[in-house]
Amino acid sequence: MDKKRLALEEAKRLLTEIRDGYREAPTASRATFDRFQESLSKTPANSDSAPILITSPLISSQEATSAWEELRKKALACVKCPHLASTRTQVVFGVGNPSADLMFVGEAPGADEDAQGEPFVGRAGQLLTKIIEAMGLRREDIYIGNVLKCRPDMPKGETGNRKPRPEEMETCLPWLKEQIQLIKPKAMVALGSTAAEGLLKTNAPMRDLRGRWQDYEGTPVMVTYHPAYLLRNQTLTEKRKVWEDMLLVMEKLEMPISEKQKNFFKTAAK
Ligand code: URA
């Protein structure tokens, strides 16, 4: 194999590991690039072998990393729901910083996520990214996962996405539970009532859940509307409700909140 192709493959592998939360993102993006450059420069020009990968102390705790790696490996090979394992393109494990203070939890990957292997990359995901950025954060600062790690299968010939069934969420929940135990976030946001049902075992309506702290095994959880709901209901009132929930999250995490942030969508407050 020629050197350039090997180098590109190595780069792709590293970037995929960052994207999937397998390596820490904030420091990794720059550091990995530098490391990659260094590796390339140490590979003789006429060498037929792959660039020497110089490992660096990107990962703070070796133990935590191997537990995360182990979990990820097992989840990626999961076949507990044979109907989903046989129809998925890939398991969508999660993305972001595995030591994040804040974790967002959605219901299940849709078609875009199934194709790309990353949660919240479709239209709803783009809106979620805007919400995260309005909070002064980046996707790589937090962790994003789903209750269900496989795309719910669709009847033959039908497009679109369906909601995960309670029994599918129940079967998959142990993966999320282990992710939460390893990440140890200071707060979580459950996106939509299906995610809330899967995580918190509640069928309470959104109006009773949002705006107040719920609990998942000792971790505070803010339930809010799913971004897909906001795409369907683009009123300032609904946007403000989600934003109020995010302000509560920022407060809980003791994040600075600017006047501008406090006043987003304020005219529509109810
Ligand atoms: N909706 C979800 O709940 N999760 C995703 O990953 C994408 C859309």
Side-chain angles (χ1 to χ4, degrees):
M1 232 197 281
D2 79 59
K3 207 178 101 192
K4 200 166 160 192
R5 172 132 176 259
L6 279 164
L8 286 171
E9 281 182 3
E10 182 60 22
K12 190 175 164 207
R13 189 181 66 77
L14 288 170
L15 292 170
T16 306
E17 286 180 5
I18 293 166
R19 186 199 68 184
D20 292 349
Y22 190 56
R23 283 177 188 274
E24 287 180 7
T27 45
S29 43
R30 180 69 229 164
T32 302
F33 199 77
D34 291 346
R35 202 148 54 82
F36 183 60
Q37 293 268 70
E38 197 187 343
S39 299
L40 267 181
S41 71
K42 297 211 167 165
T43 306
N46 59 355
S47 167
D48 245 0
S49 58
I52 305 146
L53 180 63
I54 297 154
T55 49
S56 73
L58 263 182
I59 293 146
S60 45
S61 152
Q62 196 59 48
E63 246 173 50
T65 306
S66 63
W68 184 256
E69 201 175 306
E70 192 59 30
L71 174 65
R72 185 172 172 275
K73 235 196 271 171
K74 283 194 283 175
L76 293 187
C78 180
V79 288
K80 281 194 267 181
C81 302
H83 63 296
L84 301 183
S86 65
T87 51
R88 73 188 178 211
T89 304
Q90 55 201 310
V91 171
V92 181
F93 181 67
V95 72
N97 179 356
S99 8
D101 285 345
L102 178 59
M103 184 168 177
F104 282 81
V105 178
E107 53 182 63
D112 294 318
E113 290 75 22
D114 175 66
Q116 294 183 44
E118 179 172 335
F120 285 98
V121 290
R123 278 187 71 222
Q126 285 158 24
L127 179 54
L128 177 63
T129 303
K130 280 191 189 165
I131 295 169
I132 291 164
E133 287 172 355
M135 296 169 80
L137 297 166
R138 300 165 305 170
R139 271 173 81 99
E140 55 268 41
D141 295 327
I142 57 158
Y143 198 82
I144 310 175
N146 281 307
V147 177
L148 197 66
K149 308 275 184 247
C150 294
R151 181 187 183 210
D153 57 338
M154 294 296 290
K156 234 188 162 73
E158 275 187 39
T159 53
N161 300 313
R162 73 160 168 88
K163 275 189 179 190
R165 298 184 191 113
E167 66 274 16
E168 292 170 336
M169 293 199 285
E170 188 61 33
T171 307
C172 205
L173 195 64
W175 297 123
L176 179 64
K177 185 175 170 155
E178 276 197 61
Q179 285 179 307
I180 296 167
Q181 282 167 350
L182 290 174
I183 296 171
K184 300 183 190 69
K186 291 189 180 136
M188 292 195 282
V189 175
L191 296 162
S193 46
T194 307
E197 182 192 330
L199 186 65
L200 304 172
K201 310 271 175 271
T202 175
N203 287 311
M206 182 57 72
R207 67 173 175 277
D208 294 345
L209 291 171
R210 61 156 296 271
R212 63 195 77 171
W213 287 101
Q214 314 292 332
D215 174 84
Y216 175 80
E217 300 189 346
T219 305
V221 181
M222 181 58 63
V223 179
T224 197
Y225 289 106
H226 194 286
Y229 167 83
L230 284 186
L231 289 173
R232 295 192 302 271
N233 300 275
Q234 301 208 13
T235 63
L236 282 181
T237 316
E238 298 309 278
K239 287 181 189 172
R240 177 69 195 175
K241 285 183 195 162
V242 171
W243 185 244
E244 275 169 359
D245 296 338
M246 295 308 104
L247 288 174
L248 290 172
V249 171
M250 290 168 75
E251 220 172 72
K252 173 74 84 191
L253 297 178
E254 298 177 3
M255 290 169 61
I257 305 179
S258 69
E259 278 308 304
K260 190 176 163 200
Q261 283 173 320
K262 271 185 209 156
N263 293 325
F264 278 162
F265 314 115
K266 199 80 184 247
T267 47
K270 274 202 175 161

